[in-house]
Amino acid sequence: KPGEQKHSKQPSSLQCMHLAVVACGDRLEETLIMLKSAVLFSNRRLCFHIFSEDSLKPEFEKKLQEWPSSYTKKFEYNIYPITFSVGNAQEWKKLFKPCAAQRLFLPVILKDVDSLLYVDTDVLFLRPIDDIWHILKEFNSTQLAAMAPEHEIPKIGWYSRFARHPYYGTTGVNSGVMLMNLTRIRNTQFKNSMIPSGLTWEEMLYPLYQKYKNYITWGDQDLLNIIFYFNPECLYVFPCQWNYRPDHCMYGSNCKGAEEEGVSILHGNRGVYHDDKQPTFKALYEVIRDFPFEDNLFQSLYYPLQSKFLDTVHTLCGRIPQVFLKQVEKTMKKVYENRVIVYLGANHRY
């Protein structure tokens, strides 16, 4: 009817960048800090797909609604229960960490979503999601997912030393940051080690788990490595600065991309946000956690970060603070410049 407002989310959903995360157990705070980092730095609208246990849903809703409107208007979100479409749900739930296997089912559940960025709860964005989203356009005609290598150096990589199952490339890939073209995943017949013909993604998951369950250590990540071992043409490998972990600096600096461009996405695996083993990672987590949603990012985020980093220079990762700060600084400058331009443009009208 003329003048009637439409409340459908469909138009904005088509234009937004889709971000998925799976949060169970004690991962509520980590997930909220990850989402906060995404909202702080991104330009385009975001659509969050949060998969969690039923008990966490009210908490997520309460916390997200407490954020100021200047930030909540930048995203929309849906919270989904943990569900597994094939196989034994209890087996999937126990695979590696609680509920982590849910990520394997995203192409099946999010049928209306074309492309998606999945991240673990212990991830922090240090630059706009827009920048990794652009990588989707770099996929060739056969690529349908992108991940970073598990390690840069085979002789100290986990897969190259210990894996008892097939894995991608020379060091395997890490699934903590995974960019996916879900439409392509749903439409592809995957080569596999079970039958001579291809299988769809959903058909393949449970038989693959049954075949390799006694050989896998890292759960769903191992299954993804097995899938892309048999289908290497389907994977785009992005550089280590898009999934920067303690392994990249605790044995000496071994991520050249981060040294040149700075860390783009920080992945604090091994629980490093919550202990004192890697204070540089913990400092970034705490500063973003404590950021009071003020407009002045330099004063309330960048300067506290610099100050905390001074206490970490005695550590292996703390010796290279510029690696952690470069993208944050670059992003903040852009935000500041854009605001100045908008402000000047507004004043010129009068």
Side-chain angles (χ1 to χ4, degrees), residues 211-224:
K211 179 169 182 177
Y212 290 103
K213 66 180 179 182
N214 294 326
Y215 304 97
I216 59 179
T217 303
W218 307 114
D220 44 306
Q221 177 172 290
D222 290 346
L223 292 179
L224 289 165

Side-chain angles (χ1 to χ4, degrees), residues 55-321:
S55 58
L56 292 182
K57 185 177 178 181
E59 277 297 298
F60 270 116
E61 289 176 336
K62 177 175 174 280
K63 296 288 185 187
L64 289 170
Q65 283 160 16
E66 286 172 0
W67 291 4
S69 60
S70 57
Y71 287 90
T72 56
K73 69 183 182 186
K74 293 172 70 175
F75 68 89
E76 57 191 64
Y77 69 92
N78 281 300
I79 301 173
Y80 308 81
I82 302 295
T83 54
F84 303 98
S85 60
V86 293
N88 182 313
Q90 289 310 310
E91 275 189 283
W92 285 122
K93 274 185 183 172
K94 290 175 190 168
L95 185 62
F96 193 46
K97 289 182 181 169
C99 310
Q102 181 72 76
R103 87 181 84 184
L104 297 171
F105 294 86
L106 297 178
V108 182
I109 298 166
L110 300 174
K111 286 186 165 63
D112 297 328
V113 176
D114 174 63
S115 295
L116 177 84
L117 177 64
Y118 164 85
V119 296
D120 284 349
T121 60
D122 52 8
V123 154
L124 292 171
F125 294 94
L126 304 187
R127 68 190 282 186
I129 290 184
D130 312 58
D131 298 336
I132 192 170
W133 197 254
H134 289 316
I135 291 175
L136 286 162
K137 293 178 181 172
E138 296 176 22
F139 284 14
N140 66 24
S141 59
T142 61
Q143 288 165 339
L144 45 75
M147 287 185 275
E150 171 63 22
H151 216 288
E152 303 305 301
I153 304 167
K155 67 181 179 185
I156 54 174
W158 193 90
Y159 284 106
S160 39
R161 290 186 296 159
F162 304 119
R164 296 183 295 148
H165 58 77
Y167 57 89
Y168 179 88
T170 54
T171 59
V173 281
N174 183 282
S175 60
V177 180
M178 187 176 178
L179 190 61
M180 293 180 269
N181 183 318
L182 298 184
T183 303
R184 285 188 180 182
I185 290 174
R186 288 186 284 263
N187 294 337
T188 297
Q189 294 282 320
F190 291 88
K191 299 188 289 292
N192 61 86
S193 59
M194 295 164 293
I195 61 170
S197 60
L199 289 169
T200 67
W201 186 265
E202 190 174 19
E203 288 169 341
M204 177 175 55
L205 289 178
Y206 195 60
L208 197 69
Y209 165 67
Q210 287 295 322
K211 179 169 182 177
Y212 290 103
K213 66 180 179 182
N214 294 326
Y215 304 97
I216 59 179
T217 303
W218 307 114
D220 44 306
Q221 177 172 290
D222 290 346
L223 292 179
L224 289 165
N225 267 283
I226 295 164
I227 290 168
F228 290 111
Y229 168 84
F230 290 105
N231 300 271
E233 73 286 354
C234 294
L235 190 67
Y236 177 107
V237 179
F238 50 63
C240 47
Q241 66 263 32
W242 291 105
N243 186 347
Y244 191 91
R245 284 159 277 128
D247 286 14
H248 289 119
C249 52
M250 61 194 276
Y251 307 115
S253 184
N254 60 47
C255 175
K256 285 191 173 61
E259 287 171 22
E260 291 163 10
E261 292 183 26
V263 175
S264 297
I265 295 179
L266 193 76
H267 184 183
N269 64 345
R270 302 172 179 263
V272 292
Y273 296 147
H274 312 293
D275 60 31
D276 296 317
K277 290 177 183 171
Q278 298 298 336
T280 318
F281 282 75
K282 189 178 183 182
L284 268 155
Y285 179 80
E286 289 180 346
V287 167
I288 293 174
R289 180 195 67 195
D290 298 340
F291 175 71
F293 284 113
E294 292 172 3
D295 282 340
N296 194 330
L297 285 167
F298 271 106
Q299 189 178 326
S300 302
L301 197 145
Y302 188 68
Y303 295 141
L305 199 50
Q306 279 188 316
S307 170
K308 273 182 180 276
F309 272 16
L310 289 174
D311 297 329
T312 73
V313 290
H314 62 285
T315 67
L316 277 167
C317 294
R319 288 178 194 173
I320 45 172

